[in-house]
Structures are given as structure tokens and as C-alpha cells.
């Protein structure tokens, strides 16, 4: 099973700041990585798939990069609605697995 | 816009079978290119992909749960279902159904909390 680790566990930032979240895979997963956003009481929402493709309706301030084992989600300028937990997920190998999450909270 | 809605008992006794159904609206489960998944989230914890099914019936189960999981589809009702047998307290979680394309979950139900307790 591929293990995903995310860092940092918590990121404290102010609105308007840039957020950089990291996801590392225990083995190469090519570009088969997605990012999800989850707010309290809601289901996760797909943001990015195949490492760098924005899902339908996702604002351009969200971008993804990386391949192999190291991936990054960047939020260029945080909006108030962006404070949430972010998960990465790999689909290179079954079972598909998620990282433990990074919480982006308001500083 | 496809919508998914989980339904089923919120309380299951230990050693019994958890049964949930996901009803899909706004789209047909028969439409190719999508898989239909069950994903769970333990309280305050991360996400675990339980398994998924294609409308023609092919299934994929997480090896950690494989001996206890059955996912089935009823295309006439536009539904798919999860059965998890011999449940314990460790199966207490928020259960989500989801549509997945290319094995990414792009549409999710709101989730249903299942508690295993006597």
C-alpha cells in the first residue's frame, strides 16, 4: 500500500497570503495524485487531479505541481472560504490512499 | 449535476452487518466512464477508500476489508450498495458514496454516520 505523508500538519496564515502544501508518496506514483478540500460538516471536494489539472469550477488561485514522489498544492492568495483541511490522494495503485491532511487555519 | 445520497441505519450492533445504499440522481449509473465508490472517514481522522464498482458489476475491494465487504449495483433503481459484515467499534465512521472518474472522486454524497454499538 502506498503511504502518503502531508506537511505541515497545520498551516496558519492570513487571508491574502500564499499557501504551499506538500504531499510525499512512499514510492513513485507518476502524476496520479489528486487534492481535495474538506470543510467542517461537508464532504471533500475535488480540487486538482493528475497532479496539476483543476477540476470543474475550481478557481485559478488553486494550482498543483509535482510528479514521482513529491507534490505541491499552492493557493496563490487565500480567500476566507479557503480555510479548511486539504487531503492528497493517489490512484496509481489499488487500494487508493489518502494523506492525513493539512489544516489551513486563520492566523 | 449528478447528486448522491446515502441511506441506511445509523446504529449497528457489533458482529452484525452494516448495509448502506447510495441513490444517484441527475445522471445514470449506466453511463460509462465512471466508477461508483464507498469511502469512509473515522471521526476526526482521515479518509479510507473501501471499494468501488462499475455498472457492469466488476468490483474492487480494499484488501484490509476484502473479506467483509460486498458492493453491488442496481441499475434499475440507479443505486449502489455497501455491505460490511462482522462490524466492530472500529467500523464506526462517516460513510460516503462517491462517483469517481479516472479513480478520483469528483462527486460525493453528504455522508452518513454509522455507529457500531450495542
Amino acid at each position: 500500500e502506498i503511504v502518503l505523508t502531508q506537511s505541515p500538519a497545520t498551516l496558519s496564515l492570513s487571508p491574502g497570503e500564499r499557501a504551499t502544501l506538500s504531499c510525499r508518496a512512499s514510492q513513485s506514483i507518476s502524476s496520479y495524485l489528486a487534492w481535495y478540500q474538506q470543510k467542517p460538516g461537508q464532504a471533500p471536494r475535488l480540487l486538482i487531479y493528475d497532479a496539476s489539472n483543476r477540476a470543474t469550477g475550481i478557481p485559478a488561485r488553486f494550482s498543483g505541481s509535482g510528479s514521482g514522489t513529491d507534490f505541491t498544492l499552492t493557493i496563490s492568495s487565500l480567500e476566507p472560504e479557503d480555510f479548511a483541511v486539504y487531503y492528497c490522494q493517489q490512484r496509481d495503485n489499488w487500494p487508493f490512499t489518502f494523506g492525513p491532511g493539512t489544516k489551513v487555519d486563520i492566523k | 449535476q449528478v447528486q448522491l445520497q446515502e441511506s441506511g441505519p445509523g446504529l449497528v450492533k457489533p458482529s452484525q452487518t452494516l448495509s448502506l445504499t447510495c441513490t444517484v440522481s441527475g445522471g445514470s449509473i449506466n453511463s460509462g466512464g465512471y466508477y461508483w465508490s464507498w469511502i469512509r472517514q473515522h471521526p476526526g481522522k482521515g479518509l479510507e477508500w473501501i471499494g468501488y464498482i462499475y455498472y457492469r458489476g466488476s468490483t474492487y475491494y480494499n484488501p484490509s476489508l476484502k473479506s467483509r465487504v460486498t458492493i453491488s449495483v442496481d441499475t434499475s433503481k440507479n443505486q449502489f450498495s455497501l455491505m460490511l459484515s462482522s462490524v466492530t467499534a472500529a467500523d464506526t465512521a462517516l460513510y460516503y458514496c462517491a462517483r469517481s472518474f479516472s479513480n478520483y472522486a469528483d462527486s460525493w454524497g453528504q455522508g452518513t454516520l454509522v455507529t457500531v454499538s450495542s
Side-chain angles (χ1 to χ4, degrees):
Chain A
E1 178 173 306
I2 293 176
V3 177
L4 300 178
T5 55
Q6 292 186 243
S7 61
T10 304
L11 193 54
S12 297
L13 295 169
S14 300
E17 288 194 295
R18 182 184 188 90
T20 303
L21 289 68
S22 175
C23 178
R24 177 164 289 178
S26 58
Q27 64 188 69
S28 177
I29 56 171
S30 186
S31 296
Y32 299 136
L33 187 101
W35 290 94
Y36 298 83
Q37 175 193 68
Q38 187 176 35
K39 298 179 182 178
Q42 295 184 18
R45 178 175 71 142
L46 179 66
L47 300 175
I48 301 286
Y49 65 94
D50 286 346
S52 61
N53 297 296
R54 274 189 302 276
T56 303
I58 301 304
R61 64 181 181 273
F62 291 92
S63 63
S65 64
S67 65
T69 60
D70 291 303
F71 301 86
T72 301
L73 173 70
T74 302
I75 310 170
S76 59
S77 178
L78 283 163
E79 296 288 338
E81 62 269 27
D82 298 337
F83 292 93
V85 179
Y86 293 83
Y87 295 97
C88 56
Q89 175 240 321
Q90 65 83 21
R91 67 112 170 159
D92 182 69
N93 241 324
W94 178 249
F96 310 136
T97 50
F98 294 86
T102 289
K103 182 178 182 180
V104 179
D105 65 15
I106 300 176
K107 188 174 180 181
Chain B
Q1 174 98 358
V2 70
Q3 293 187 313
L4 299 93
Q5 178 67 57
E6 306 89 351
S7 59
L11 181 64
V12 181
K13 289 181 168 37
S15 79
Q16 293 191 343
T17 296
L18 177 162
S19 295
L20 296 174
T21 295
C22 182
T23 300
V24 179
S25 58
S28 174
I29 230 173
N30 280 338
S31 56
Y34 296 106
Y35 287 81
W36 305 92
S37 296
W38 287 98
I39 297 166
R40 70 180 181 179
Q41 186 169 32
H42 292 98
K45 300 278 180 73
L47 297 150
E48 179 180 29
W49 209 302
I50 298 170
Y52 60 104
I53 189 166
Y54 194 52
Y55 76 94
R56 290 179 178 168
S58 51
T59 52
Y60 301 81
Y61 299 140
N62 193 315
S64 69
L65 299 167
K66 187 173 184 177
S67 62
R68 300 193 291 129
V69 172
T70 302
I71 298 175
S72 58
V73 64
D74 186 337
T75 55
S76 67
K77 296 181 178 178
N78 225 31
Q79 295 176 333
F80 63 106
S81 299
L82 169 71
M83 294 182 65
L84 182 65
S85 64
S86 304
V87 296
T88 69
D91 296 308
T92 293
L94 189 56
Y95 286 77
Y96 292 102
C97 61
R99 184 185 77 172
S100 48
F101 84 96
S102 295
N103 299 319
Y104 299 120
D106 71 331
S107 295
W108 297 64
Q110 65 185 23
T112 187
L113 179 63
V114 178
T115 301
V116 178
S117 175
S118 55

